Amino acid sequence: MDSTAAPQVGESPFAPLLPGDPRRPLGPRDPGDAWVDGDRGRFWGRFGSAGLLVHDPAKGVLLQHRALWSHQGGTWGLPGGALHQGEEAIHGALREAHEEAAVPPGNLEVLFTSVFDVGYWSYTTVVALALQPFEAAISDAESIELQWVGVDGVGGKELHPGFAAAWPGLRSRLTEARGIAGRL
């Protein structure tokens, strides 16, 4: 479980760790915002987690440089996070990407999903095509930076370990899905 205290009424949900450090959330804002532990490790999201891999053919893949205070902070990954209780993974990934990176959910075509499941927790990567170009924007404290990266350049970034492990398979499926759609 997250050991930080929830903000009190009137308090900001963000506070600096140390003077000059970036702001970070003070604690769970939703019942799903908690750690789960088991024999395969500790994972964020009581009801699982989901992230959005959005591809724009002209720009590449949208990556999030994760805030230093976050788990595996300083690495590159996908906008995403903990699912709410009863929330479908696709909805959660779209919600999180909108909250963190201003990704317009109505401007996407979902191509496929990929699920990593350890039995007591799962992470769903939702892969989508941007139907129209858009500018991503940092819209909460969970990002240092957002960047569109060409498909060939993604592996050159210092990736979140989970995303690094999943990227080769996701890249292959994205290439196949985009080739079938005739838009690669």
Side-chain angles (χ1 to χ4, degrees):
M1 286 286 183
D2 185 358
S3 61
T4 58
Q8 300 299 309
V9 175
E11 282 185 62
S12 169
F14 302 99
L17 290 170
L18 299 170
D21 279 349
R23 295 165 12 136
R24 78 176 271 186
L26 281 177
R29 291 173 281 172
D30 180 88
D33 290 344
W35 291 101
V36 293
D37 296 289
D39 61 346
R40 300 231 2 230
R42 184 176 211 211
F43 300 96
W44 182 251
R46 181 177 292 153
F47 310 114
S49 292
L52 183 70
L53 190 160
V54 61
H55 181 252
D56 178 318
K59 296 179 180 183
V61 173
L62 179 63
L63 295 183
Q64 174 192 53
H65 195 185
R66 299 166 53 82
L68 297 176
W69 53 261
S70 68
H71 185 252
Q72 300 293 334
T75 61
W76 290 85
L78 304 175
L83 296 174
H84 294 173
Q85 187 169 13
E87 184 176 41
E88 295 293 327
I90 291 174
H91 181 268
L94 295 173
R95 175 186 52 75
E96 286 281 344
H98 181 70
E99 289 174 4
E100 296 177 4
V103 174
N107 185 31
L108 303 173
E109 174 188 340
V110 174
L111 300 175
F112 64 89
T113 62
S114 178
V115 179
F116 172 74
D117 191 337
V118 298
Y120 57 92
W121 180 87
S122 66
Y123 183 92
T124 302
T125 302
V126 176
V127 180
L129 172 67
L131 299 174
Q132 297 292 323
F134 66 91
E135 292 303 319
I138 295 174
S139 47
D140 74 6
E142 296 185 37
S143 303
I144 296 170
E145 177 182 6
L146 299 169
Q147 191 176 97
W148 291 97
V149 178
V151 171
D152 292 337
V154 172
K157 295 282 195 185
E158 184 181 347
L159 300 178
H160 179 283
F163 181 51
W167 174 241
L170 291 168
R171 178 184 178 161
S172 177
R173 288 187 66 192
L174 175 63
T175 300
E176 181 180 303
R178 295 301 317 279
I180 290 169
R183 299 182 212 149
L184 190 58

